[in-house]
Amino acid sequence: MVGASPTPTPVIDAQGVQGVSVHDGWLFFGNEYHRDLALVVLVGRWTYLWWSMFGDGFNVTRSLLAAVPCDIEKLGAAPSCDMEAKSLVAELLSLTQVLKKQMPEHLTWEKKKGQRVGRYNFRKLRHITDEADWLLAQAWGLTREQYEAAGNLRDRMTFGSRA
């Protein structure tokens, strides 16, 4: 999955000193509300497919994530919209809180250049991200079949024919 987090990537150097990655890029939002909506969008199937189409297959860059075609501010304006939109945003924000709570439970470590670098295993959190992705699909007017097709494509790109 594409990497995104509201906190810096943890790093432990060869001497065991904990720090943060110097390779992190940051997206800034006007408020926590928009930041939390962005988090649930950026770790889901829609952003993974975007990265698969337009990324380099290795790096997740700030510019690529900023270009994901989801207007967070427009989506986040739902409190001033109708009840259905308010409910959708409330559900997305609730899922974001669950996601943020469970992310530390799925932190894995990779060795890179003598350091251990923490990464969140979002595959273990798909029960949350898939629910958010379905809510987004509905907000965008997609059918259940289109949503499932996007999930099948993501799985084939991730797992090949083993999915």
Side-chain angles (χ1 to χ4, degrees):
M1 294 306 239
V2 173
S5 172
T7 59
T9 303
V11 173
I12 299 174
D13 70 16
Q15 290 74 38
V17 177
Q18 190 166 356
V20 295
S21 175
V22 297
H23 301 289
D24 284 353
W26 295 96
L27 296 176
F28 296 95
F29 300 93
N31 56 53
E32 291 180 12
Y33 180 73
H34 290 146
R35 180 206 61 206
D36 286 354
L37 285 173
L39 176 63
V40 80
V41 170
L42 295 176
V43 299
R45 77 178 61 195
W46 307 114
T47 299
Y48 180 80
L49 290 171
W50 180 260
W51 174 74
S52 296
M53 291 184 295
F54 299 105
D56 64 7
F58 183 72
N59 296 299
V60 179
T61 64
R62 178 177 52 207
S63 60
L64 183 99
L65 292 181
V68 169
C70 177
D71 188 338
I72 296 299
E73 289 183 9
K74 183 177 178 182
L75 183 64
S80 62
C81 298
D82 62 34
M83 288 305 292
E84 185 176 331
K86 286 181 187 179
S87 175
L88 175 116
V89 169
E91 287 183 65
L92 285 170
L93 289 170
S94 177
L95 288 170
T96 302
Q97 296 312 310
V98 174
L99 181 70
K100 289 191 319 186
K101 183 179 179 187
Q102 291 187 19
M103 283 172 62
E105 298 170 20
H106 301 288
L107 183 65
T108 60
W109 296 91
E110 299 174 6
K111 281 202 168 206
K112 289 186 177 183
K113 299 180 182 176
Q115 297 181 325
R116 292 178 47 217
V117 179
R119 297 280 182 242
Y120 296 106
N121 184 347
F122 287 105
R123 288 183 186 152
K124 304 273 185 184
L125 298 165
R126 275 191 46 193
H127 61 286
I128 301 167
T129 61
D130 281 354
E131 191 174 341
D133 290 339
W134 171 233
L135 290 170
L136 288 165
Q138 292 173 72
W140 296 330
L142 300 176
T143 65
R144 187 70 172 180
E145 291 77 22
Q146 291 167 319
Y147 166 79
E148 293 296 335
N152 291 337
L153 179 59
R154 174 207 52 208
D155 291 345
R156 285 190 196 137
M157 294 171 82
T158 304
F159 305 112
S161 61
R162 301 182 317 239

